[in-house]
Amino acid sequence: MLDAPNRDRNAERREATRREIVEAAWAIARESGLAELTLRDVAARVGMRAPSLYSHFASKNAIYDAMFGQAWSEYESSVLALEGALPQHPRAAAKQYGRHFFDFAVDDLPRHQLMNQRVIPGFEPSPESYAPAVRVLERAAANVRELGVTSEDDFAILIALIGGLINQHHANDPGGDRYAGLLDRAIDMWADAVGLPAEDPAPPSRKSAP
Amino acid sequence: MLDAPNRDRNAERREATRREIVEAAWAIARESGLAELTLRDVAARVGMRAPSLYSHFASKNAIYDAMFGQAWSEYESSVLALEGALPQHPRAAAKQYGRHFFDFAVDDLPRHQLMNQRVIPGFEPSPESYAPAVRVLERAAANVRELGVTSEDDFAILIALIGGLINQHHANDPGGDRYAGLLDRAIDMWADAVGLPAEDPAPPSRKSAP
DNA sequence: GTCTATACACCGATAGAC
DNA sequence: GTCTATCGGTGTATAGAC
């Protein structure tokens, strides 16, 4: 038996190695694409042979799973930080909230693909890794409810709208800012429909920003 | 040299074999998933060995490319047929047009993944296969312009909105009809924002269909 | 426990006989 | 055109060194 300090040190070291592997996986995904990730490449980057990774992860998908959980946890943290500094005007708050998600998804393509799409053929996130994702979604729903939008359908439409703009960005204008510029207009459109008050005395805009 | 009739017969036979291969690929994609397609399985289904497929397609991605082109061509035909029977009211026409695309995308998951998403790691459609897709999009843009919507940005938002609902359907309610029910509400939302006249004397709905 | 060496089954793709 | 044989590459399993 090991005494407690040794057990802690070993556990720490194990966790550090896992983090190192996940970090290497992210680096390769950003350089070559999420699906191009191979165990041999990941192993080489941390100074191992491919089979050695199985001492730390049960499978390749388990690495994807750790990446998935990490990404959603980071987004959850960023959202919690954001919520402390939201404008009190409902429409402005909705815009900032939506832009936060949009920016996060647009900032890192492989991360967005892993978090929000199903581009890895066999991969499905574990319940533990999925947990922060459902927390974020439930929290967003609650926040929208607090703005006075009681319909779950209207919330679903907002999610679809922002998600659709993100997809269009990555498909048609990656690295550009065309769809970022459409985001406010799109959320205004939604806010008008669900009855959120206008941001300023002027009537809701019919065109994009002048 | 062959005389013309023989050349035609051979070309016909070649084309028939290609169609047979593509059809087998669709069948496997529907049964096992688009990404799970293997050359050995496709070949077995048409009574061949895998390498023989290379007599008809230059690569596995060339088969995906043929499927891509076929899917978009079929959609283009279905849209042309639809346009003969659109209601003359702008908002009703927009709804029917949008629902047509939504239904087509929801009806066949692997087809939608191939047409509108990038789920096959190395695959990019050839210009020839992509041509019907751009024709469909340009035609849709022209139709929306004819409804009186002159802003390209508003058209882009409509596309993102419908595409987002399709993605949400496949992710959260495959086989269900929740997002199909949200479609009219979403398009109404967009139609209100771009200034399309209401469908009936009643004011634009605030809630989903009563 | 951690890592390596080896091996297996499967993949897309190619070469060459028929 | 279709075949067999084979290549390099993949994820993964396992035996065994340390």
Side-chain angles (χ1 to χ4, degrees):
Chain A
M1 274 293 193
L2 294 173
D3 52 2
N6 252 350
R7 228 186 18 244
D8 287 359
R9 260 176 50 99
N10 284 351
E12 261 178 46
R13 189 165 171 71
R14 242 188 101 70
E15 196 50 44
T17 306
R18 274 179 64 100
R19 260 196 301 271
E20 203 180 337
I21 291 169
V22 169
E23 214 43 59
W26 277 122
I28 294 172
R30 280 184 214 105
E31 288 171 16
S32 315
L34 188 67
E36 277 65 26
L37 202 143
T38 74
L39 292 181
R40 283 160 175 86
D41 286 348
V42 175
R45 198 175 268 254
V46 297
M48 285 182 185
R49 307 290 192 164
S52 305
L53 296 175
Y54 283 85
S55 301
H56 304 274
F57 291 94
S59 69
K60 183 185 182 181
N61 277 353
I63 299 181
Y64 280 127
D65 194 57
M67 298 164 77
F68 181 94
Q70 186 198 55
W72 271 106
S73 287
E74 281 177 12
Y75 181 68
E76 185 180 29
S77 300
S78 78
V79 161
L80 292 179
L82 175 77
E83 284 178 0
L86 278 179
Q88 73 266 68
H89 192 289
R91 192 179 289 238
K95 280 181 186 172
Q96 196 158 327
Y97 212 86
R99 182 164 299 280
H100 188 69
F101 182 76
F102 181 91
D103 287 343
F104 195 84
V106 153
D107 190 52
D108 190 330
L109 173 60
R111 187 178 62 188
H112 169 246
Q113 289 176 325
L114 186 59
M115 290 173 73
N116 302 308
Q117 301 193 313
R118 294 278 173 270
V119 302
I120 305 301
F123 169 67
E124 211 148 349
S126 65
E128 307 90 66
S129 294
Y130 201 70
V134 314
R135 280 198 303 267
V136 163
L137 198 69
E138 277 173 9
R139 195 172 186 86
N143 284 332
V144 167
R145 244 176 282 131
E146 262 184 35
L147 297 181
V149 179
T150 57
S151 161
E152 289 287 331
D153 286 353
D154 285 338
F155 175 69
I157 289 176
L158 177 64
I159 297 297
L161 182 56
I162 298 176
L165 287 169
I166 291 166
N167 288 345
Q168 293 295 312
H169 165 91
H170 280 129
N172 305 327
D173 189 36
D177 60 356
R178 165 154 196 228
Y179 289 93
L182 264 51
L183 187 58
D184 277 356
R185 160 88 170 140
I187 295 185
D188 264 325
M189 180 177 294
W190 176 84
D192 288 343
V194 301
L196 256 47
E199 253 172 299
D200 52 50
S205 65
R206 274 280 163 97
K207 295 278 172 195
S208 307
Chain B
M1 276 295 193
L2 295 172
D3 52 2
N6 253 351
R7 230 185 17 243
D8 286 0
R9 260 178 49 99
N10 284 351
E12 261 178 46
R13 186 160 176 72
R14 249 188 93 73
E15 195 50 43
T17 305
R18 275 180 64 98
R19 259 198 301 271
E20 203 181 336
I21 291 169
V22 169
E23 215 42 59
W26 278 121
I28 294 171
R30 279 185 214 104
E31 287 170 17
S32 315
L34 188 67
E36 277 65 29
L37 202 144
T38 73
L39 292 180
R40 284 163 175 81
D41 286 348
V42 175
R45 197 175 270 254
V46 298
M48 285 182 183
R49 305 291 189 161
S52 305
L53 296 175
Y54 284 86
S55 301
H56 303 274
F57 291 94
S59 69
K60 184 186 182 180
N61 277 354
I63 299 180
Y64 280 128
D65 194 57
M67 297 164 78
F68 180 96
Q70 186 198 56
W72 271 106
S73 286
E74 281 176 12
Y75 181 69
E76 186 179 30
S77 299
S78 79
V79 162
L80 293 178
L82 174 79
E83 284 178 0
L86 278 180
Q88 73 267 69
H89 192 290
R91 192 178 289 238
K95 281 183 186 171
Q96 195 158 328
Y97 212 86
R99 182 163 298 280
H100 187 69
F101 183 75
F102 182 91
D103 287 343
F104 195 84
V106 153
D107 189 53
D108 190 331
L109 173 60
R111 186 178 63 188
H112 168 245
Q113 289 176 325
L114 186 59
M115 288 173 75
N116 301 308
Q117 302 193 314
R118 293 279 174 269
V119 301
I120 305 302
F123 170 67
E124 209 145 353
S126 64
E128 307 89 67
S129 294
Y130 202 71
V134 314
R135 280 198 302 268
V136 164
L137 197 70
E138 277 173 9
R139 196 172 186 87
N143 285 332
V144 168
R145 244 177 282 130
E146 263 184 34
L147 298 181
V149 180
T150 58
S151 161
E152 290 287 331
D153 286 352
D154 285 338
F155 175 68
I157 289 176
L158 177 64
I159 297 297
L161 182 57
I162 298 176
L165 287 169
I166 292 166
N167 288 346
Q168 294 294 312
H169 165 92
H170 280 128
N172 305 327
D173 188 37
D177 59 357
R178 166 157 194 226
Y179 290 92
L182 265 51
L183 188 59
D184 278 356
R185 161 86 170 140
I187 296 185
D188 264 326
M189 180 177 296
W190 176 85
D192 288 344
V194 302
L196 256 49
E199 255 174 298
D200 52 51
S205 66
R206 276 276 162 101
K207 297 276 171 196
S208 307

PDB file of all heavy atoms in Angstrom, chain A residues 113-141:
ATOM      1  N   GLN A 113     -16.954  21.787 -34.168  1.00  0.00           N
ATOM      2  CA  GLN A 113     -17.391  20.531 -34.788  1.00  0.00           C
ATOM      3  C   GLN A 113     -17.589  19.459 -33.741  1.00  0.00           C
ATOM      4  O   GLN A 113     -18.545  18.684 -33.796  1.00  0.00           O
ATOM      5  CB  GLN A 113     -16.359  20.075 -35.823  1.00  0.00           C
ATOM      6  CG  GLN A 113     -16.322  20.940 -37.064  1.00  0.00           C
ATOM      7  CD  GLN A 113     -15.229  20.525 -38.026  1.00  0.00           C
ATOM      8  OE1 GLN A 113     -14.149  20.104 -37.614  1.00  0.00           O
ATOM      9  NE2 GLN A 113     -15.506  20.647 -39.313  1.00  0.00           N
ATOM     10  N   LEU A 114     -16.673  19.416 -32.783  1.00  0.00           N
ATOM     11  CA  LEU A 114     -16.778  18.389 -31.746  1.00  0.00           C
ATOM     12  C   LEU A 114     -17.932  18.681 -30.796  1.00  0.00           C
ATOM     13  O   LEU A 114     -18.675  17.786 -30.409  1.00  0.00           O
ATOM     14  CB  LEU A 114     -15.457  18.305 -30.974  1.00  0.00           C
ATOM     15  CG  LEU A 114     -15.350  17.171 -29.954  1.00  0.00           C
ATOM     16  CD1 LEU A 114     -15.535  15.823 -30.626  1.00  0.00           C
ATOM     17  CD2 LEU A 114     -14.006  17.220 -29.232  1.00  0.00           C
ATOM     18  N   MET A 115     -18.080  19.962 -30.427  1.00  0.00           N
ATOM     19  CA  MET A 115     -19.113  20.324 -29.455  1.00  0.00           C
ATOM     20  C   MET A 115     -20.520  20.217 -30.027  1.00  0.00           C
ATOM     21  O   MET A 115     -21.437  19.749 -29.343  1.00  0.00           O
ATOM     22  CB  MET A 115     -18.895  21.765 -28.969  1.00  0.00           C
ATOM     23  CG  MET A 115     -17.690  21.984 -28.084  1.00  0.00           C
ATOM     24  SD  MET A 115     -17.424  23.748 -27.747  1.00  0.00           S
ATOM     25  CE  MET A 115     -18.754  24.108 -26.598  1.00  0.00           C
ATOM     26  N   ASN A 116     -20.691  20.670 -31.249  1.00  0.00           N
ATOM     27  CA  ASN A 116     -22.047  20.911 -31.742  1.00  0.00           C
ATOM     28  C   ASN A 116     -22.422  20.123 -32.985  1.00  0.00           C
ATOM     29  O   ASN A 116     -23.553  20.228 -33.450  1.00  0.00           O
ATOM     30  CB  ASN A 116     -22.219  22.403 -32.040  1.00  0.00           C
ATOM     31  CG  ASN A 116     -21.959  23.256 -30.824  1.00  0.00           C
ATOM     32  OD1 ASN A 116     -22.529  23.019 -29.776  1.00  0.00           O
ATOM     33  ND2 ASN A 116     -21.083  24.233 -30.954  1.00  0.00           N
ATOM     34  N   GLN A 117     -21.490  19.367 -33.530  1.00  0.00           N
ATOM     35  CA  GLN A 117     -21.859  18.599 -34.704  1.00  0.00           C
ATOM     36  C   GLN A 117     -21.402  17.171 -34.542  1.00  0.00           C
ATOM     37  O   GLN A 117     -20.737  16.837 -33.575  1.00  0.00           O
ATOM     38  CB  GLN A 117     -21.265  19.252 -35.958  1.00  0.00           C
ATOM     39  CG  GLN A 117     -21.762  20.680 -36.100  1.00  0.00           C
ATOM     40  CD  GLN A 117     -21.477  21.278 -37.439  1.00  0.00           C
ATOM     41  OE1 GLN A 117     -20.386  21.179 -37.952  1.00  0.00           O
ATOM     42  NE2 GLN A 117     -22.485  21.930 -38.009  1.00  0.00           N
ATOM     43  N   ARG A 118     -21.760  16.351 -35.472  1.00  0.00           N
ATOM     44  CA  ARG A 118     -21.401  14.931 -35.394  1.00  0.00           C
ATOM     45  C   ARG A 118     -20.504  14.594 -36.569  1.00  0.00           C
ATOM     46  O   ARG A 118     -20.910  13.909 -37.497  1.00  0.00           O
ATOM     47  CB  ARG A 118     -22.657  14.058 -35.398  1.00  0.00           C
ATOM     48  CG  ARG A 118     -23.548  14.220 -34.179  1.00  0.00           C
ATOM     49  CD  ARG A 118     -23.026  13.370 -33.007  1.00  0.00           C
ATOM     50  NE  ARG A 118     -23.761  13.619 -31.785  1.00  0.00           N
ATOM     51  CZ  ARG A 118     -23.435  14.539 -30.896  1.00  0.00           C
ATOM     52  NH1 ARG A 118     -22.389  15.342 -31.128  1.00  0.00           N
ATOM     53  NH2 ARG A 118     -24.136  14.697 -29.795  1.00  0.00           N
ATOM     54  N   VAL A 119     -19.268  15.095 -36.506  1.00  0.00           N
ATOM     55  CA  VAL A 119     -18.366  14.865 -37.629  1.00  0.00           C
ATOM     56  C   VAL A 119     -17.476  13.655 -37.408  1.00  0.00           C
ATOM     57  O   VAL A 119     -16.846  13.182 -38.355  1.00  0.00           O
ATOM     58  CB  VAL A 119     -17.487  16.102 -37.910  1.00  0.00           C
ATOM     59  CG1 VAL A 119     -18.360  17.326 -38.192  1.00  0.00           C
ATOM     60  CG2 VAL A 119     -16.558  16.376 -36.758  1.00  0.00           C
ATOM     61  N   ILE A 120     -17.405  13.138 -36.183  1.00  0.00           N
ATOM     62  CA  ILE A 120     -16.606  11.939 -35.930  1.00  0.00           C
ATOM     63  C   ILE A 120     -17.543  10.739 -35.986  1.00  0.00           C
ATOM     64  O   ILE A 120     -18.393  10.565 -35.101  1.00  0.00           O
ATOM     65  CB  ILE A 120     -15.910  12.011 -34.566  1.00  0.00           C
ATOM     66  CG1 ILE A 120     -15.081  13.290 -34.460  1.00  0.00           C
ATOM     67  CG2 ILE A 120     -15.040  10.794 -34.354  1.00  0.00           C
ATOM     68  CD1 ILE A 120     -14.013  13.423 -35.513  1.00  0.00           C
ATOM     69  N   PRO A 121     -17.380   9.903 -37.014  1.00  0.00           N
ATOM     70  CA  PRO A 121     -18.327   8.831 -37.299  1.00  0.00           C
ATOM     71  C   PRO A 121     -18.845   8.057 -36.095  1.00  0.00           C
ATOM     72  O   PRO A 121     -20.040   8.014 -35.892  1.00  0.00           O
ATOM     73  CB  PRO A 121     -17.533   7.931 -38.250  1.00  0.00           C
ATOM     74  CG  PRO A 121     -16.692   8.896 -39.021  1.00  0.00           C
ATOM     75  CD  PRO A 121     -16.332   9.985 -38.043  1.00  0.00           C
ATOM     76  N   GLY A 122     -17.988   7.443 -35.320  1.00  0.00           N
ATOM     77  CA  GLY A 122     -18.523   6.583 -34.262  1.00  0.00           C
ATOM     78  C   GLY A 122     -18.724   7.252 -32.914  1.00  0.00           C
ATOM     79  O   GLY A 122     -19.224   6.634 -31.983  1.00  0.00           O
ATOM     80  N   PHE A 123     -18.347   8.528 -32.818  1.00  0.00           N
ATOM     81  CA  PHE A 123     -18.251   9.155 -31.493  1.00  0.00           C
ATOM     82  C   PHE A 123     -19.592   9.631 -30.958  1.00  0.00           C
ATOM     83  O   PHE A 123     -20.351  10.301 -31.640  1.00  0.00           O
ATOM     84  CB  PHE A 123     -17.275  10.328 -31.550  1.00  0.00           C
ATOM     85  CG  PHE A 123     -17.301  11.183 -30.311  1.00  0.00           C
ATOM     86  CD1 PHE A 123     -16.863  10.674 -29.088  1.00  0.00           C
ATOM     87  CD2 PHE A 123     -17.771  12.486 -30.360  1.00  0.00           C
ATOM     88  CE1 PHE A 123     -16.890  11.456 -27.951  1.00  0.00           C
ATOM     89  CE2 PHE A 123     -17.809  13.272 -29.233  1.00  0.00           C
ATOM     90  CZ  PHE A 123     -17.369  12.770 -28.022  1.00  0.00           C
ATOM     91  N   GLU A 124     -19.843   9.277 -29.714  1.00  0.00           N
ATOM     92  CA  GLU A 124     -20.962   9.859 -28.978  1.00  0.00           C
ATOM     93  C   GLU A 124     -20.479  10.182 -27.566  1.00  0.00           C
ATOM     94  O   GLU A 124     -19.860   9.341 -26.920  1.00  0.00           O
ATOM     95  CB  GLU A 124     -22.146   8.904 -28.934  1.00  0.00           C
ATOM     96  CG  GLU A 124     -23.428   9.660 -28.884  1.00  0.00           C
ATOM     97  CD  GLU A 124     -24.567   8.936 -29.595  1.00  0.00           C
ATOM     98  OE1 GLU A 124     -24.308   7.941 -30.303  1.00  0.00           O
ATOM     99  OE2 GLU A 124     -25.694   9.377 -29.424  1.00  0.00           O
ATOM    100  N   PRO A 125     -20.737  11.396 -27.104  1.00  0.00           N
ATOM    101  CA  PRO A 125     -20.198  11.806 -25.803  1.00  0.00           C
ATOM    102  C   PRO A 125     -20.791  10.991 -24.656  1.00  0.00           C
ATOM    103  O   PRO A 125     -21.953  10.595 -24.701  1.00  0.00           O
ATOM    104  CB  PRO A 125     -20.602  13.277 -25.698  1.00  0.00           C
ATOM    105  CG  PRO A 125     -21.721  13.440 -26.652  1.00  0.00           C
ATOM    106  CD  PRO A 125     -21.495  12.466 -27.759  1.00  0.00           C
ATOM    107  N   SER A 126     -19.981  10.774 -23.624  1.00  0.00           N
ATOM    108  CA  SER A 126     -20.463  10.090 -22.425  1.00  0.00           C
ATOM    109  C   SER A 126     -21.358  11.035 -21.630  1.00  0.00           C
ATOM    110  O   SER A 126     -21.292  12.251 -21.794  1.00  0.00           O
ATOM    111  CB  SER A 126     -19.274   9.670 -21.576  1.00  0.00           C
ATOM    112  OG  SER A 126     -18.591  10.817 -21.107  1.00  0.00           O
ATOM    113  N   PRO A 127     -22.204  10.496 -20.769  1.00  0.00           N
ATOM    114  CA  PRO A 127     -23.068  11.350 -19.935  1.00  0.00           C
ATOM    115  C   PRO A 127     -22.279  12.365 -19.121  1.00  0.00           C
ATOM    116  O   PRO A 127     -22.703  13.520 -18.999  1.00  0.00           O
ATOM    117  CB  PRO A 127     -23.769  10.335 -19.020  1.00  0.00           C
ATOM    118  CG  PRO A 127     -23.751   9.052 -19.775  1.00  0.00           C
ATOM    119  CD  PRO A 127     -22.480   9.057 -20.578  1.00  0.00           C
ATOM    120  N   GLU A 128     -21.116  11.966 -18.605  1.00  0.00           N
ATOM    121  CA  GLU A 128     -20.336  12.906 -17.790  1.00  0.00           C
ATOM    122  C   GLU A 128     -19.838  14.080 -18.628  1.00  0.00           C
ATOM    123  O   GLU A 128     -19.864  15.225 -18.193  1.00  0.00           O
ATOM    124  CB  GLU A 128     -19.136  12.200 -17.153  1.00  0.00           C
ATOM    125  CG  GLU A 128     -19.478  10.939 -16.377  1.00  0.00           C
ATOM    126  CD  GLU A 128     -19.441   9.703 -17.246  1.00  0.00           C
ATOM    127  OE1 GLU A 128     -18.360   9.330 -17.716  1.00  0.00           O
ATOM    128  OE2 GLU A 128     -20.535   9.126 -17.491  1.00  0.00           O
ATOM    129  N   SER A 129     -19.367  13.782 -19.832  1.00  0.00           N
ATOM    130  CA  SER A 129     -18.880  14.865 -20.677  1.00  0.00           C
ATOM    131  C   SER A 129     -20.030  15.703 -21.216  1.00  0.00           C
ATOM    132  O   SER A 129     -19.861  16.890 -21.509  1.00  0.00           O
ATOM    133  CB  SER A 129     -18.066  14.292 -21.844  1.00  0.00           C
ATOM    134  OG  SER A 129     -16.888  13.692 -21.367  1.00  0.00           O
ATOM    135  N   TYR A 130     -21.182  15.084 -21.325  1.00  0.00           N
ATOM    136  CA  TYR A 130     -22.335  15.797 -21.865  1.00  0.00           C
ATOM    137  C   TYR A 130     -22.972  16.719 -20.822  1.00  0.00           C
ATOM    138  O   TYR A 130     -23.670  17.675 -21.160  1.00  0.00           O
ATOM    139  CB  TYR A 130     -23.365  14.783 -22.365  1.00  0.00           C
ATOM    140  CG  TYR A 130     -24.334  15.339 -23.369  1.00  0.00           C
ATOM    141  CD1 TYR A 130     -23.910  15.674 -24.650  1.00  0.00           C
ATOM    142  CD2 TYR A 130     -25.667  15.527 -23.050  1.00  0.00           C
ATOM    143  CE1 TYR A 130     -24.793  16.193 -25.570  1.00  0.00           C
ATOM    144  CE2 TYR A 130     -26.557  16.043 -23.970  1.00  0.00           C
ATOM    145  CZ  TYR A 130     -26.116  16.375 -25.225  1.00  0.00           C
ATOM    146  OH  TYR A 130     -26.988  16.895 -26.137  1.00  0.00           O
ATOM    147  N   ALA A 131     -22.702  16.408 -19.562  1.00  0.00           N
ATOM    148  CA  ALA A 131     -23.367  17.143 -18.474  1.00  0.00           C
ATOM    149  C   ALA A 131     -23.219  18.666 -18.579  1.00  0.00           C
ATOM    150  O   ALA A 131     -24.224  19.387 -18.496  1.00  0.00           O
ATOM    151  CB  ALA A 131     -22.865  16.644 -17.118  1.00  0.00           C
ATOM    152  N   PRO A 132     -21.986  19.188 -18.759  1.00  0.00           N
ATOM    153  CA  PRO A 132     -21.890  20.654 -18.849  1.00  0.00           C
ATOM    154  C   PRO A 132     -22.664  21.218 -20.031  1.00  0.00           C
ATOM    155  O   PRO A 132     -23.185  22.339 -19.949  1.00  0.00           O
ATOM    156  CB  PRO A 132     -20.380  20.904 -19.000  1.00  0.00           C
ATOM    157  CG  PRO A 132     -19.781  19.592 -19.343  1.00  0.00           C
ATOM    158  CD  PRO A 132     -20.671  18.535 -18.774  1.00  0.00           C
ATOM    159  N   ALA A 133     -22.773  20.441 -21.109  1.00  0.00           N
ATOM    160  CA  ALA A 133     -23.524  20.927 -22.267  1.00  0.00           C
ATOM    161  C   ALA A 133     -25.007  21.103 -21.919  1.00  0.00           C
ATOM    162  O   ALA A 133     -25.608  22.118 -22.255  1.00  0.00           O
ATOM    163  CB  ALA A 133     -23.357  19.963 -23.445  1.00  0.00           C
ATOM    164  N   VAL A 134     -25.572  20.124 -21.215  1.00  0.00           N
ATOM    165  CA  VAL A 134     -26.994  20.263 -20.872  1.00  0.00           C
ATOM    166  C   VAL A 134     -27.183  21.357 -19.823  1.00  0.00           C
ATOM    167  O   VAL A 134     -28.188  22.074 -19.839  1.00  0.00           O
ATOM    168  CB  VAL A 134     -27.605  18.928 -20.379  1.00  0.00           C
ATOM    169  CG1 VAL A 134     -27.186  17.797 -21.295  1.00  0.00           C
ATOM    170  CG2 VAL A 134     -27.247  18.626 -18.952  1.00  0.00           C
ATOM    171  N   ARG A 135     -26.201  21.510 -18.922  1.00  0.00           N
ATOM    172  CA  ARG A 135     -26.302  22.608 -17.960  1.00  0.00           C
ATOM    173  C   ARG A 135     -26.322  23.951 -18.674  1.00  0.00           C
ATOM    174  O   ARG A 135     -27.118  24.839 -18.336  1.00  0.00           O
ATOM    175  CB  ARG A 135     -25.141  22.549 -16.961  1.00  0.00           C
ATOM    176  CG  ARG A 135     -25.321  21.536 -15.846  1.00  0.00           C
ATOM    177  CD  ARG A 135     -24.385  21.841 -14.671  1.00  0.00           C
ATOM    178  NE  ARG A 135     -22.978  21.886 -15.070  1.00  0.00           N
ATOM    179  CZ  ARG A 135     -22.152  20.827 -15.013  1.00  0.00           C
ATOM    180  NH1 ARG A 135     -22.596  19.658 -14.606  1.00  0.00           N
ATOM    181  NH2 ARG A 135     -20.891  20.945 -15.387  1.00  0.00           N
ATOM    182  N   VAL A 136     -25.442  24.107 -19.632  1.00  0.00           N
ATOM    183  CA  VAL A 136     -25.385  25.371 -20.375  1.00  0.00           C
ATOM    184  C   VAL A 136     -26.707  25.631 -21.083  1.00  0.00           C
ATOM    185  O   VAL A 136     -27.239  26.746 -21.042  1.00  0.00           O
ATOM    186  CB  VAL A 136     -24.224  25.345 -21.397  1.00  0.00           C
ATOM    187  CG1 VAL A 136     -24.387  26.440 -22.435  1.00  0.00           C
ATOM    188  CG2 VAL A 136     -22.890  25.482 -20.679  1.00  0.00           C
ATOM    189  N   LEU A 137     -27.243  24.600 -21.707  1.00  0.00           N
ATOM    190  CA  LEU A 137     -28.487  24.784 -22.444  1.00  0.00           C
ATOM    191  C   LEU A 137     -29.641  25.115 -21.509  1.00  0.00           C
ATOM    192  O   LEU A 137     -30.456  26.015 -21.777  1.00  0.00           O
ATOM    193  CB  LEU A 137     -28.815  23.529 -23.250  1.00  0.00           C
ATOM    194  CG  LEU A 137     -29.825  23.746 -24.380  1.00  0.00           C
ATOM    195  CD1 LEU A 137     -29.203  24.596 -25.483  1.00  0.00           C
ATOM    196  CD2 LEU A 137     -30.336  22.432 -24.945  1.00  0.00           C
ATOM    197  N   GLU A 138     -29.706  24.402 -20.380  1.00  0.00           N
ATOM    198  CA  GLU A 138     -30.774  24.677 -19.426  1.00  0.00           C
ATOM    199  C   GLU A 138     -30.647  26.083 -18.844  1.00  0.00           C
ATOM    200  O   GLU A 138     -31.638  26.780 -18.642  1.00  0.00           O
ATOM    201  CB  GLU A 138     -30.741  23.641 -18.295  1.00  0.00           C
ATOM    202  CG  GLU A 138     -31.457  22.341 -18.659  1.00  0.00           C
ATOM    203  CD  GLU A 138     -31.249  21.278 -17.590  1.00  0.00           C
ATOM    204  OE1 GLU A 138     -30.706  21.616 -16.518  1.00  0.00           O
ATOM    205  OE2 GLU A 138     -31.611  20.119 -17.845  1.00  0.00           O
ATOM    206  N   ARG A 139     -29.405  26.453 -18.612  1.00  0.00           N
ATOM    207  CA  ARG A 139     -29.172  27.793 -18.077  1.00  0.00           C
ATOM    208  C   ARG A 139     -29.579  28.862 -19.089  1.00  0.00           C
ATOM    209  O   ARG A 139     -30.192  29.880 -18.722  1.00  0.00           O
ATOM    210  CB  ARG A 139     -27.698  27.942 -17.714  1.00  0.00           C
ATOM    211  CG  ARG A 139     -27.403  29.130 -16.845  1.00  0.00           C
ATOM    212  CD  ARG A 139     -25.955  29.128 -16.359  1.00  0.00           C
ATOM    213  NE  ARG A 139     -25.749  30.200 -15.411  1.00  0.00           N
ATOM    214  CZ  ARG A 139     -25.999  30.099 -14.118  1.00  0.00           C
ATOM    215  NH1 ARG A 139     -26.427  28.944 -13.623  1.00  0.00           N
ATOM    216  NH2 ARG A 139     -25.817  31.136 -13.319  1.00  0.00           N
ATOM    217  N   ALA A 140     -29.235  28.621 -20.341  1.00  0.00           N
ATOM    218  CA  ALA A 140     -29.633  29.567 -21.386  1.00  0.00           C
ATOM    219  C   ALA A 140     -31.149  29.662 -21.473  1.00  0.00           C
ATOM    220  O   ALA A 140     -31.708  30.763 -21.579  1.00  0.00           O
ATOM    221  CB  ALA A 140     -29.048  29.131 -22.730  1.00  0.00           C
ATOM    222  N   ALA A 141     -31.813  28.522 -21.388  1.00  0.00           N
ATOM    223  CA  ALA A 141     -33.277  28.532 -21.431  1.00  0.00           C
ATOM    224  C   ALA A 141     -33.837  29.336 -20.264  1.00  0.00           C
ATOM    225  O   ALA A 141     -34.773  30.129 -20.431  1.00  0.00           O
ATOM    226  CB  ALA A 141     -33.806  27.094 -21.401  1.00  0.00           C
TER     227      ALA A 141
END
